[in-house]
Amino acid sequence: MGGLSNRNIIVGITGGIAAYKAAQLVRDLQVRGASVRVVMTRGATEFITPLTLQALSGQPVHLDLLDEEAEMGMGHIELARWADLICVAPATADFIARLQAGRADDLLTTLCLATDAKLVLAPAMNQAMWRDPATTDNVASLLERGIQMYGPDDGSQACGDVGPGRMMEPGAIAEHLASLFETRLLEGQRVIITAGPTREALDPVRYISNNSSGRMGYAIANACALAGAHTMLISGPVNLDTPERVERIDVLTARDMYDAVHARMDDCSVFIGCAAVADYRPVAIAEQKIKKHEDAMHIELVKNPDIIASVAALADKPFTVGFAAETQDVEEYALGKLQNKKLDLIVANDVSSEEAGFNSQNNAATILSEHSREEIPLTSKQVLAERLVKTIAAQLPREID
C-alpha cells in the first residue's frame, strides 16, 4: 500500500479535450496528501484556463520555459528538482512524439528531460491516432526508457469515435500514482512540533531565555516530514533553516507558543513538545530600558502556561511526546513528568554534558513510556530524531477496519 502524503507532484497538461479531467486529478492528488504544481502547454490553455488550475492547486500555474522572473533563479531546473513525480495527463500524440524525440521546446518537455523524478503519461487522443504506427513506436520507445503509461481506456470519444484513446479516469490515475511509493511510517499523520527557546521581555532590550538552539526540534520535524507526516513546526527564535516540506510558524513568548499550538489542535494526531519553554515571565514589562541604580535588582515572575500538559489534558488529545532536559537525576525527573502530565512518551536527556545537549550537533537520550525504555547512545540529532519517529510510529494507536 502506497501513499502520497508529502509527495511533490507536477501535473502536466497538454492540449487535448481531456484537459478538463486534469482539474479533478489535481484535487484527487491533494486529497491523498500530495503537494501539486501544474504545468500547462499553450495548447492546454485553449481547453481549460490556468486560473482554474491555480485556484485548485493553490499555486501559480507554470506556462513558459523562458519566464524572466523564474529564470533568474533557474526556475525550470528548480521545478524539476522539486518533483518526486511528473504526471502528464492528458498526454497527446504530439507531446508523446516530442518527448520520444528528446525535444525540449517548451517548459513541460524540458522538465521531463531535466528531472530525476518518476515520469508517468496518461495518453488521450483519437482512437485512430492511438493505433497509428508512429504513435505505437513512440509509446514503445518511452516504455523501454522506464516511462510508465496509464491507459488509455476504451469507450466513446469527443469526436464521436468509439475505441481506445480515452484518458483514464482521474481517480484511477491517482490510485496508480499512490502505488508507486511505499507507505512511510507516519503516512497521513498530522504532526505538530514545538522547537527552540522562548523569550520573555524584561524591558525593550532585555529578556529571559535559555540556551536552546532548536536543532533537536528541527531534526525531528525533518524526520517526520520524511516519514510522510504533514508536519508543522512552531518555533521560537532560532538561527536555522526550515526543513523541506515543513510548515513553520514563528513565535516569541511562551504565551505566543501556547496560542499557536491550541489554534491548530483540531487536526493534530501527534504532538511533540521539544521546545525549551520559559517556565516564568515577568509580571510587568518595563516600558523603558531599566537603568542601573542599585547593586541588586528584583524581578517578580509569574508562571507561564504549561503547553504540553495542556495538550495532554485535551478531551480528544493527540499522541503526546514530551522532552525532559535535565542536569541531574534525569530519568527520575522524566518519569515523574511522564506520569504527572499524562504523556504517551518522554525523551530524557542530560543537557549538562558537553558532548550533547542544547548547542551540540549530537545528543544521547532515553525514550520512556509507561511500559518501555529505549536507550539511545550518543549520536547525531538527526539519527536520534529518526529513532524517535520509529518509536512513535510503533506506539501509535492503530485504526480498526
Side-chain angles (χ1 to χ4, degrees), residues 26-241:
V26 169
R27 293 296 300 131
D28 287 346
L29 294 174
Q30 289 178 318
V31 165
R32 288 174 175 267
S35 296
V36 181
R37 296 185 184 179
V38 176
V39 176
M40 301 178 72
T41 65
R42 282 296 167 187
T45 64
E46 299 295 324
F47 293 92
I48 186 170
T49 68
L51 184 59
T52 298
L53 279 306
Q54 179 175 316
L56 289 171
S57 67
Q59 298 289 336
V61 172
H62 301 272
L63 300 170
D64 298 313
L65 176 58
L66 300 177
D67 182 327
E68 289 184 8
E69 291 186 9
E71 291 310 306
M72 289 177 68
M74 292 297 287
H76 65 284
I77 298 299
E78 291 304 316
L79 196 56
R81 290 171 179 163
W82 174 85
D84 295 314
L85 181 147
I86 297 176
C87 176
V88 182
T92 61
D94 174 70
F95 177 81
I96 289 171
R98 289 190 294 120
L99 186 62
Q100 189 280 332
R103 299 284 292 274
D105 48 7
D106 64 7
L107 178 57
L108 186 54
T109 51
T110 300
L111 289 176
C112 291
L113 292 181
T115 191
D116 291 325
K118 302 174 191 291
L119 184 54
V120 173
L121 309 184
M125 65 196 72
N126 170 268
Q127 55 86 24
M129 296 175 72
W130 175 249
R131 290 192 176 108
D132 188 271
T135 303
T136 302
D137 290 347
N138 289 336
V139 167
S141 175
L142 294 176
L143 290 172
E144 286 178 7
R145 297 183 203 170
I147 296 172
Q148 298 197 40
M149 300 275 175
Y150 294 163
D153 287 343
D154 245 299
S156 60
Q157 300 181 317
C159 61
D161 285 358
V162 176
R166 286 173 56 90
M167 181 176 132
M168 182 181 284
E169 290 304 310
I173 294 173
E175 189 171 339
H176 282 300
L177 295 180
S179 71
L180 295 177
F181 299 100
E182 291 184 4
T183 300
R184 294 168 291 179
L185 289 173
L186 296 181
E187 195 78 48
Q189 300 291 335
R190 300 182 70 85
V191 180
I192 292 177
I193 300 155
T194 62
T198 61
R199 291 178 180 173
E200 307 298 335
L202 296 171
D203 61 25
V205 298
R206 301 183 181 92
Y207 55 82
I208 299 170
S209 190
N210 56 63
N211 289 326
S212 175
S213 66
R215 288 194 182 101
M216 190 70 246
Y218 276 61
I220 294 170
N222 185 52
C224 288
L226 291 173
H230 178 281
T231 307
M232 178 175 291
L233 182 62
I234 299 177
S235 176
V238 298
N239 188 27
L240 297 171
D241 294 330

Side-chain angles (χ1 to χ4, degrees), residues 3 124 233 243 279 293 376:
L233 182 62
D279 294 321
H293 294 296
I376 301 174

